Amino acid sequence: MPTTNPNQLDAEALYATLLADVQAGLAGVADVAIVGIHSGGAWIAERLAADLGLSDRCGVLDVSFYRDDYAKKGLPAEVKPTNITFDVAAANILLVDDVLYTGRTTRAAINELFDYGRPARIMLAALVDRGERQLPVAADFVAAHVTVQKGQALVLKRADDGQFTLTIDHA
């Protein structure tokens, strides 16, 4: 898949691409639920759920306590509650993150999901895949692949009107 220049990312156009891919990929799939990873993934998941008519089957995970670097980094300042109000057992879960990078956040999210039950299937959607995986994790749906310099991070932001933007920050 071609790599996009990170300085030319249009988050709204990427969201439209992701929505179309997810809509096509979930056609005919039963018992679908969407779970977003706090915070950017949760924003995307909420919007996907609304656009797909699945708002009553949308949840949010904060993987802070499930990260493998928790003992080293400590607890982040903004821990948000996990909120899953539907039955995870036997559901087809679309796990959503804003930026797929090392795979460690995805691993933590899967671990936490299993605390709520055993899903029939977990599919992964990401707005952007920046590569450099440390774990064997791949997204089923991704809007763009980008490469950013070491020491930089892609950050999804959501405006008050719900519009998304992606910026490059120095980590």
Side-chain angles (χ1 to χ4, degrees):
M1 182 165 271
T3 300
T4 304
N5 180 339
N7 295 310
Q8 298 174 342
L9 293 173
D10 177 345
E12 284 299 315
L14 293 176
Y15 174 78
T17 298
L18 185 65
L19 173 61
D21 290 350
V22 166
Q23 198 165 27
L26 295 181
V29 177
D31 199 20
V32 174
I34 299 176
V35 176
I37 301 171
H38 175 71
S39 62
W43 299 335
I44 296 167
E46 290 166 1
R47 195 155 151 194
L48 283 170
D51 289 342
L52 297 171
L54 293 168
S55 292
D56 60 333
R57 306 252 319 144
C58 184
V60 177
L61 293 175
D62 186 326
V63 300
S64 297
F65 293 108
Y66 289 80
R67 296 211 32 115
D68 58 8
D69 57 0
Y70 173 75
K72 185 162 87 171
K73 286 186 174 181
L75 193 60
E78 288 191 32
V79 175
K80 301 291 184 195
T82 290
N83 183 18
I84 296 178
T85 59
F86 51 85
D87 190 7
V88 169
N92 289 293
I93 304 289
L94 178 66
L95 183 62
V96 181
D97 204 357
D98 52 354
V99 178
L100 179 56
Y101 183 31
T102 64
R104 294 186 178 285
T105 299
T106 303
R107 184 215 47 87
I110 291 169
N111 284 355
E112 186 171 358
L113 268 176
F114 271 82
D115 283 352
Y116 288 84
R118 185 178 187 276
R121 178 179 180 195
I122 299 173
M123 297 162 280
L124 179 62
L127 195 62
V128 177
D129 183 341
R130 65 171 282 182
E132 300 183 49
R133 216 72 78 239
Q134 295 174 358
L135 297 173
V137 173
D140 298 278
F141 309 102
V142 65
H145 291 79
V146 301
T147 301
V148 296
Q149 301 296 319
K150 292 280 187 206
Q152 293 182 335
L154 287 171
V155 178
L156 183 69
K157 296 179 181 177
R158 181 176 66 172
D160 290 341
D161 65 358
Q163 297 293 298
F164 297 136
T165 56
L166 271 167
T167 60
I168 298 175
D169 290 354
H170 294 282

